Amino acid sequence: MNVKKNSKLIVLILTLLILAGCAVWFIPGNEQKNLMSDSLNISQQVIADMGRFVSDNGLTDNLPESELQADINTFNEKVDSCYADEFKAKDYYKWLNEDFLTRVYKIKMNYIVKSGAETLNIRSAYYKPSRKEAEIHADIIGWSVSIQEENGLYAVNCAYSKSDIAADMAWENSKWKVVSAEVPDGDSAEAKKEEIIKRAEEKYSDGKLPKADAEKLDKIHKTMEICEKRYGSFSEALEAAKEIDLEDFNVYVIA
């Protein structure tokens, strides 16, 4: 009887040791998770920054070629720093950015004033068997404040989305880089933002919205007013846009 009990105990201990070994082998430590997260953040920043430049009139028509080429080189370096060679859209991103700067934005305005991307939460991360490849699931907010022109009037646009991104990554040139990334359809995210605002407004009307959230809601309403207004000049729109930061229009900060 004791032999059977001892055998079961040995099997249990071995099973636990195997599971512990698998966890150590397949689950990255915090340092590696953060490196993966940083690379994923940069990859989303690349998308937000596509076609970004600095000018006095919101177009690239008056910028010297040397300055545009410097912007193109900086963007390409950022792409190379976070996207693996296997990433299928890598060359397309570079081409699209260059096309925006050298052709499209000479006559059409989409002037990026501010942009960013940040990880809110790493849902999961694990190595593939080689430990040179990994998969990460993370909640990331990507955002931008930009200016568009139509019929001689200028508008400020605040865009952002919170997405649960699933990315395959590879260890390349001593860095974690994105091989592929899946982002859910933005329609559901947009509907969720509207739902959060509506729910907060209802709570505010009923006197049930906490003071801190009421202040955040007030900032969001003021930012919405800035975005609804039309400005007579680019410089006027630029001054308004510079005053806006993510926390001024991010509905996800409301509980």
Side-chain angles (χ1 to χ4, degrees), residues 30-97:
N30 288 335
E31 182 180 356
Q32 292 301 311
K33 282 184 184 178
N34 289 336
L35 290 174
M36 293 176 194
S37 173
D38 289 345
S39 183
L40 193 57
N41 278 350
I42 296 171
S43 75
Q44 297 306 297
Q45 178 73 59
V46 161
I47 295 171
D49 275 351
M50 198 174 293
R52 188 170 186 175
F53 58 93
V54 177
S55 79
D56 294 331
N57 67 347
L59 298 171
T60 62
D61 58 339
N62 292 327
L63 296 179
E65 286 188 16
S66 58
E67 188 172 330
L68 288 176
Q69 190 57 54
D71 288 340
I72 290 167
N73 292 343
T74 299
F75 181 86
N76 290 348
E77 287 170 5
K78 188 175 280 190
V79 170
D80 289 336
S81 75
C82 63
Y83 286 107
D85 290 339
E86 293 178 62
F87 185 72
K88 293 180 180 179
K90 187 173 182 178
D91 289 337
Y92 175 69
Y93 283 1
K94 292 179 180 180
W95 171 83
L96 188 59
N97 176 69

Side-chain angles (χ1 to χ4, degrees), residues 77-211:
E77 287 170 5
K78 188 175 280 190
V79 170
D80 289 336
S81 75
C82 63
Y83 286 107
D85 290 339
E86 293 178 62
F87 185 72
K88 293 180 180 179
K90 187 173 182 178
D91 289 337
Y92 175 69
Y93 283 1
K94 292 179 180 180
W95 171 83
L96 188 59
N97 176 69
E98 184 170 348
D99 190 53
F100 281 151
L101 295 182
T102 60
R103 186 182 65 86
V104 179
Y105 294 160
K106 282 182 180 290
I107 55 175
K108 181 180 179 179
M109 185 177 297
N110 183 37
Y111 188 80
I112 301 169
V113 181
K114 299 178 181 180
S115 66
E118 61 180 275
T119 300
L120 301 179
N121 175 45
I122 299 175
R123 291 174 177 264
S124 65
Y126 62 87
Y127 291 122
K128 304 290 179 68
S130 68
R131 287 170 64 92
K132 296 295 183 182
E133 297 175 326
E135 184 173 318
I136 183 171
H137 290 251
D139 290 327
I140 290 185
I141 277 193
W143 63 281
S144 67
V145 179
S146 60
I147 299 171
Q148 287 80 37
E149 180 270 337
E150 186 175 354
N151 299 324
L153 295 176
Y154 300 83
V156 176
N157 180 52
C158 298
Y160 70 106
S161 62
K162 183 174 112 175
S163 303
D164 173 19
I165 298 179
D168 287 322
M169 310 197 77
W171 185 254
E172 186 179 284
N173 299 326
S174 302
K175 287 183 177 181
W176 283 109
K177 297 186 179 183
V178 176
V179 175
S180 66
E182 292 184 8
V183 182
D185 187 2
D187 290 342
S188 59
E190 194 64 34
K192 188 173 183 180
K193 286 188 286 186
E194 292 174 1
E195 181 186 330
I196 293 171
I197 292 176
K198 182 180 178 182
R199 188 168 61 243
E201 288 173 340
E202 289 172 351
K203 286 184 178 179
Y204 182 79
S205 298
D206 295 338
K208 296 179 180 179
L209 191 67
K211 183 180 178 181

